[in-house]
Amino acid sequence: QVQLVESGGGSVQAGGSLRLTCQASGYIYSRNCMGWFRQVPGKEREGVAGIYRGGGDGEYADSVKGRFTISQDNAKNMVYLQMDNLKPEDTGMYYCAATQSDSLLDCEARFWRGDFGYFGQGTQVTVSS
């Protein structure tokens, strides 16, 4: 079983920054592929960024590339999402997600499919214009 707890959401003006944090626990091989997803009412959940525990630069949705950075601290079982130059369209509930993966390529593929088995409760991000 994997537990994920997000924090760091809030309300900011456009152009501002936020840093989301995900504290992960549970069987480590069930969460060696991590990601951030977001959802707004009436829309499907979309992948924002993903990262493989074993390394790699991370995967990003085109809409956030160059503005968001995903990172991890394996010793602390933490995953972060640094969000800069926020836009009103970034508003939504952000979820930390985890799944088991056999490789970097598999983790990337799972991110683009949204194939994650565990999700946290979410943290709200609101960006005003």
Side-chain angles (χ1 to χ4, degrees), residues 21-85:
T21 297
C22 175
Q23 175 70 67
S25 61
Y27 184 52
I28 191 171
Y29 292 107
S30 293
R31 51 179 174 86
N32 58 2
C33 179
M34 302 292 292
W36 288 96
F37 291 75
R38 66 185 179 193
Q39 189 169 23
V40 296
K43 291 189 177 181
E44 289 189 1
R45 184 169 55 199
E46 63 171 339
V48 176
I51 193 166
Y52 182 57
R53 184 181 178 89
D57 295 330
E59 293 290 300
Y60 297 91
D62 286 344
S63 59
V64 306
K65 202 171 291 184
R67 299 188 297 120
F68 290 12
T69 304
I70 189 170
S71 61
Q72 60 190 342
D73 185 333
N74 289 338
K76 296 181 179 179
N77 294 312
M78 303 283 278
V79 178
Y80 308 97
L81 185 67
Q82 178 66 40
M83 305 186 296
D84 298 318
N85 190 21

Side-chain angles (χ1 to χ4, degrees), residues 47-129:
V48 176
I51 193 166
Y52 182 57
R53 184 181 178 89
D57 295 330
E59 293 290 300
Y60 297 91
D62 286 344
S63 59
V64 306
K65 202 171 291 184
R67 299 188 297 120
F68 290 12
T69 304
I70 189 170
S71 61
Q72 60 190 342
D73 185 333
N74 289 338
K76 296 181 179 179
N77 294 312
M78 303 283 278
V79 178
Y80 308 97
L81 185 67
Q82 178 66 40
M83 305 186 296
D84 298 318
N85 190 21
L86 281 160
K87 303 177 180 180
E89 51 264 42
D90 294 318
T91 294
M93 185 70 78
Y94 283 68
Y95 298 91
C96 179
T99 192
Q100 184 174 347
S101 178
D102 296 327
S103 68
L104 172 59
L105 289 179
D106 179 71
C107 180
E108 292 174 350
R110 287 178 180 274
F111 169 73
W112 292 114
R113 292 198 309 264
D115 183 12
F116 281 67
Y118 301 97
F119 287 84
Q121 294 298 308
T123 185
Q124 178 68 36
V125 172
T126 302
V127 184
S128 57
S129 57

